[in-house]
Structure formats: C-alpha cells, structure tokens
Amino acid sequence: MTRPLPGAVVTPGGLPATTTTATATATYVFAVCHGCDPAVLTGLAGQAAGAPVRLLRFGSLEAVVQDVPAEMFGEEALRERLADRAELERCARAHHAVVAAAAGRAPTLPLPLATLYLSDERARAALREDENRFRSVMGRIAGRVEWGVKVYAAPGRPPPTRPERTGPPTTAPTTTTLTATAPPETTSAVRTNTRPGHAYLDRARGARRAREERQEAGLNAAASVDRALRDIAVAGRRLRSHDTGVTGAGRVQLLNAAYLVDEGREADLIGAVELLRTSPGYERVELEVTGPWVPYSFVDGGDLDADQ
C-alpha cells in the first residue's frame, strides 16, 4: 500500500455506518490516469464481482472506479476483512490487477487500497481539487517503473572465535597454559575451580562478538547495495523493514527498498544486483529483487529521495 496524496480521501477504516444499507453503493477509486482506453478495464473483477470497472472523468483526468456494496466496505466489515491475511492479500491483488491494467496503456497514478467515496459526485469533486497535484506526480513517474530490493542476513554458523587447538575437547586454553607453570598438586584445583567459568565466559564473549561482526558486515553490505542501485535509479526510498513474522523464522531483513527506474534500464539494475551477489563481502547476505511494478512507493508527491 502507498501513502495517500494530500487531499485524497482515503477511508481504510471503512464507510460511516449510516451508508451501509443493503442496497447502498460506494465509489471505490483504484487510480488516476490520463488518456486510458476504457476497453482495457473490460472483464476486470475489481473489488465487487459483477460491477464493471470504469472511468470517471474529472477535469482533464480520469479516475478508475467501481461501484462496491457499502455494507461490505463499512467500518466494522472492512476492519474484519482486512484483519484476515488471506482476505487482505486477495483485496490487494484485485486492486493491483486493475491498476496494472490501466498503467499498461496510459500514465497512471495508483491510489491506496480502500480509497472510497460516498458517490461519483463526491469522488469527482474531491479529485478535482487535486488535479494539478495528480498531473505533477504523473509527470514524475511517467516512463518509469518501480523495482523492489530486499537484503537479508544469510543464515549460517558464526566463525570460530579463536584458532583450534589439538588435544581432548575438554582441554581449555587456560589449562594448557597452567600445566607448564603451576605446581602439579595445584593443577587439579585450577581445572575444577576456574576452567568452567572462564570457558563459558570466553564462549559467550566470542558468540557475542561473532553476532556483532555478522550484523555489522550485513548492514555494511546492505548500505553498499543501496548506494549502488541509487546510482542507476532516478530515485530510491528505504521502506520499513519487515520482522520475522513476515519474512520467516531466521530471515532477518537488513534492507527493504524501492527504486524508481527509467523503462529500458531494467537490465542495468538486475546486472548490478548480480554483480554484487558475487562480490567479496556479500557472502553473508541474500539479495531479493522484485518487479517491475507500478511506482506505488513514489506517488505521494513528496521528496522522491526521502526515506519513509
């Protein structure tokens, strides 16, 4: 989902309860475009089966809209539906399918999921107020696509904390040293009283250092990826990283970024990622590339290079 453009009416909490009667409908807005062919919208399911996805003219632009049952998009109903991950994914995919169809034929500015108005008239009036802003943003993203790049810490065992020694596994470094200097009668006491605690602390410190080194190396690699791809992209934006509840157990996300790239430079971006994957210093990270997408992350009209 994207952040709304200033002035756009977005109601992720649903429509007011007074509008959710059995027969009432609302106007769902997928995107704003310019010069879109209505034929490309034919047959799209959108968010309400049986209701056509259509164009709604406002000023010199068009909105891609659909009539949806108000009772399904009421505050409580929508909250319950979007709290279910499978239903949220279905709604997001349906939203994207419409946006992508329009973007394939005309300059298109996607609006966030669940952008709703009480009627066509209200939608037209509200969108008209932002017509100049919409046109400005469409000019900035026209002829460009979004690519997503994620960097994860590669799973693996930490490197040894010290050189390996020969001898029985239970022989600790302190014991090896002490046998050459301590009297024979005190050696067993040293082994009993000092070795376990010292060895445990050494292991704990070594494990902590190894974790810190892996994290630092991963973050440095992620920062290098971001710098390299910003040299290719028109703009980049670092997004909020996902936790392991989304990425999966053990997959720590170090970078979640979007890059706005001129159409035709896709090979440059993919080639740069492949080069980084095989470069020294990137053995401990995994790179994931997705796209091309409609530029969802670059439609808020703000500074394209600002992180969010």
Side-chain angles (χ1 to χ4, degrees):
M1 289 186 287
T2 63
R3 293 180 292 178
L5 283 164
V9 178
V10 183
T11 57
L15 296 167
T18 55
T19 68
T20 58
T21 65
T23 58
T25 61
T27 300
Y28 186 108
V29 184
F30 297 90
V32 170
C33 58
H34 178 60
C36 184
D37 181 359
V40 303
L41 307 177
T42 302
L44 294 175
Q47 301 289 8
V53 178
R54 55 190 173 84
L55 296 177
L56 177 68
R57 185 87 178 180
F58 68 96
S60 60
L61 302 176
E62 306 97 33
V64 183
V65 305
Q66 184 180 37
D67 294 330
V68 296
E71 62 180 349
M72 291 182 60
F73 288 85
E75 184 175 356
E76 292 186 9
L78 191 60
R79 184 187 300 116
E80 291 179 4
R81 290 171 58 205
L82 299 187
D84 180 86
R85 180 167 292 183
E87 180 65 9
L88 173 61
E89 183 176 351
R90 188 202 68 77
C91 290
R93 288 183 180 276
H95 184 93
H96 175 68
V98 174
V99 171
R105 291 294 185 88
T108 300
L109 188 156
L111 294 185
L113 189 68
T115 299
L116 296 158
Y117 297 89
L118 298 178
S119 66
D120 281 5
E121 290 72 22
R122 293 200 180 189
R124 183 181 285 112
L127 295 172
R128 184 64 184 270
E129 292 181 1
D130 270 322
E131 181 180 355
N132 291 337
R133 193 187 306 274
F134 291 151
R135 291 181 65 86
S136 175
V137 176
M138 279 195 289
R140 299 172 78 181
I141 65 175
R144 294 165 177 164
V145 292
E146 176 176 327
W147 286 83
V149 176
K150 298 177 176 62
V151 178
Y152 300 91
R157 299 195 314 178
T161 58
R162 61 181 67 237
E164 302 229 349
R165 295 175 180 266
T166 58
T170 56
T171 303
T174 52
T175 303
T176 302
T177 302
L178 288 173
T179 53
T181 58
E185 64 272 14
T186 64
T187 301
S188 60
V190 171
R191 286 177 178 171
T192 301
N193 297 330
T194 65
R195 185 189 64 192
H198 287 180
Y200 172 79
L201 291 176
D202 284 345
R203 288 195 300 271
R205 283 192 291 264
R208 184 173 63 251
R209 284 196 301 269
R211 286 195 302 270
E212 292 171 351
E213 289 171 2
R214 290 200 306 275
Q215 182 178 15
E216 183 178 3
L219 291 173
N220 288 339
S224 297
V225 170
D226 186 46
R227 287 194 298 269
L229 298 185
R230 282 176 184 262
D231 287 341
I232 297 170
V234 174
R237 175 161 284 160
R238 298 188 70 157
L239 310 175
R240 181 178 300 132
S241 295
H242 297 141
D243 60 29
T244 53
V246 176
T247 64
R251 293 197 83 201
V252 178
Q253 193 171 84
L254 304 173
L255 176 69
N256 180 22
Y259 301 94
L260 188 65
V261 180
D262 286 328
E263 291 178 348
R265 295 209 66 187
E266 292 91 340
D268 294 338
L269 182 136
I270 294 174
V273 171
E274 292 302 323
L275 180 61
L276 289 168
R277 279 188 175 129
T278 58
S279 298
Y282 293 85
E283 301 87 353
R284 294 183 181 178
V285 297
E286 297 175 352
L287 278 67
E288 178 182 290
V289 181
T290 60
W293 305 103
V294 179
Y296 285 94
S297 301
F298 300 93
V299 301
D300 63 356
D303 181 0
L304 291 181
D305 289 313
D307 293 348
Q308 70 176 16

